Structure formats: C-alpha cells, structure tokens
Amino acid sequence: MDLRRRLVTEALGCGLVVVALEGSHHIAEHLGASATEGRLFMSLSCGAVLACLLWVLRPLGAHLNPALTFADALGDRTPWREVPLYALAQLGGSLLGRLIAHGMSHEPLLLTARPPSADGARFLTEMVATFGLLVVVRGCVRTRPSATPLAIAAYVAATVWFTDSRSLANPALVLARAASAHVGVMSPLEVESFVAAQLLGAALAVFLFRWLLGSTPRPAPPSAPLET
C-alpha cells in the first residue's frame, strides 16, 4: 500500500477511537453515571472499537498510535523519514475525531483553559502504561500474531482503569484529550510531559524486549501442503 493510503488509514483509525472515547464519556455523563460506571463505559467502548479497527486495519499496517510508530522506527520496521508523516496523520485524525464527537454531543468545540496538574506519579503511570502496551504488541507479533488485535484491545481497555489521563497509552489521544472541552480532563500544558513519558516507555519496551528475545528464533511459517 502506498504511503498516502497508509496515512489516511492512520487518521481514520485514530479518529474513530477518539469518537468512541469521547462519545462514551459524554453518554456516561448524560446518563448520570458514577465515576466508576463512566470508566466502565469508556473501557468497554474503546476496547470493542479498537479490536474491530485492528482486525480490519492491522493487515494494512495501521499503528493508530505514534508510540507504536516510534517503536517500529526504533526496530527498523518503519523508515524514520515517514515517522513525522505518520504522527501528523494520527494527530490530525484524533483532533478531527474529537471535533466530531463533540459536535455529535452538542458540546463546545473550543479549548477550556485549565491549570496543569501533571506530576511525577502521572508521568510514571503513562510511561508504565505505554511500556506494557509495547510489550503486548511485541510479544504478540513475535509469538501469536493472530491474537494481536484482541490482546491490544484488552490491554488498552484496561489502561482506562489505571491511568488518570485515559489517553489509552497513545500520544495522539493525549492531544485530543487536551483539546477536549470537558473540564478537568487534561490541560494542554500537560501534553509535553505525557507524550515524553509515553515515548520513553515505548523506547524502554523496545530495547528490553529486543534483549529478552534477541536470541529467540521467530516461529517458522506453516509449510504449504504438498500437491498430489
């Protein structure tokens, strides 16, 4: 697939994930759900949508996450010259998804000014969440490729429960969440530290997993049946 189609795939996938995230958040608030119920709404919605998107788009090479693109470049799977283009497509799709979700919910589209609240604990949480995501991705691609979409979706759904940002270990969603009109979601001034934490977690996972499985041979592809 040529680069333009791959970039459109990235934008489409990221946009739909953000629509699911923001839409479920709005529905939870509209129904008067508690904080716990709201997180349940978001985790189930995002997990299901992401699983579907990965099953459909993963064969096309979709990353749907700048951290995964960065990790692929570190592993020499994606040319570094394409990384900025991937990131722009992912960020653009996420922002467009945020605008669409807020339009669907009749919510204001403008940024809401909020003071930053990022601290060391939240930085560590984002780093660990992204580190775990990359371990899941690398492990599945290496040993169980067919399980990759479901494993990623399950892990990402779980991150809703142990990260304050609820950005799904995804720098593109950090930007989209920071641009949200929801008060208290995330300050635009936190974007830099959150993205840095996620990219650091991705890099650590790449290097650690490369060392752990460096001498482990890849599973041999199934042999073709003999013709008779």
Side-chain angles (χ1 to χ4, degrees):
M1 179 182 292
D2 64 62
L3 181 59
R4 288 180 300 175
R5 288 183 172 85
R6 282 184 279 138
L7 296 179
V8 170
T9 299
E10 295 293 334
L12 173 65
C14 287
L16 290 174
V17 170
V18 172
V19 168
L21 183 69
E22 294 286 341
S24 58
H25 188 179
H26 170 76
I27 292 297
E29 289 184 340
H30 180 71
L31 295 176
S34 65
T36 300
E37 292 168 338
R39 289 202 178 223
L40 180 61
F41 275 39
M42 295 172 70
S43 64
L44 292 177
S45 174
C46 292
V49 168
L50 187 58
C52 294
L53 289 174
L54 288 175
W55 261 310
V56 173
L57 301 179
R58 189 70 178 174
L60 305 179
H63 299 156
L64 310 186
N65 187 330
L68 296 185
T69 302
F70 175 68
D72 258 23
L74 286 177
D76 298 325
R77 291 182 172 88
T78 298
W80 281 104
R81 66 178 180 276
E82 294 182 0
V83 171
L85 299 177
Y86 269 82
L88 286 174
Q90 291 156 346
L91 294 175
S94 297
L95 286 173
L96 181 59
R98 197 276 299 183
L99 292 174
I100 292 173
H102 282 220
M104 292 165 56
S105 305
H106 302 289
E107 294 188 351
L109 304 180
L110 299 177
L111 296 174
T112 302
R114 295 179 297 278
S117 59
D119 54 25
R122 298 183 76 184
F123 184 96
L124 180 62
T125 300
E126 294 299 323
M127 184 180 72
V128 170
T130 311
F131 175 87
L133 174 61
L134 264 295
V135 168
V136 170
V137 172
R138 291 279 169 162
C140 284
V141 169
R142 184 96 181 194
T143 60
R144 296 285 299 277
S146 62
T148 301
L150 185 58
I152 292 176
Y155 182 86
V156 166
T159 65
V160 174
W161 291 91
F162 68 87
T163 61
D164 288 334
S165 71
R166 286 166 282 178
S167 61
L168 313 183
N170 189 330
L173 268 66
V174 168
L175 181 60
R177 297 283 286 166
S180 174
H182 288 294
V183 176
V185 171
M186 187 187 301
S187 167
L189 299 178
E190 295 174 329
V191 170
E192 182 178 343
S193 63
F194 275 62
V195 170
Q198 292 171 338
L199 294 182
L200 177 59
L204 290 175
V206 169
F207 293 124
L208 178 61
F209 218 71
R210 180 183 295 172
W211 176 76
L212 287 174
L213 296 181
S215 59
T216 304
R218 291 178 179 270
S223 57
L226 297 176
E227 296 184 0
T228 58

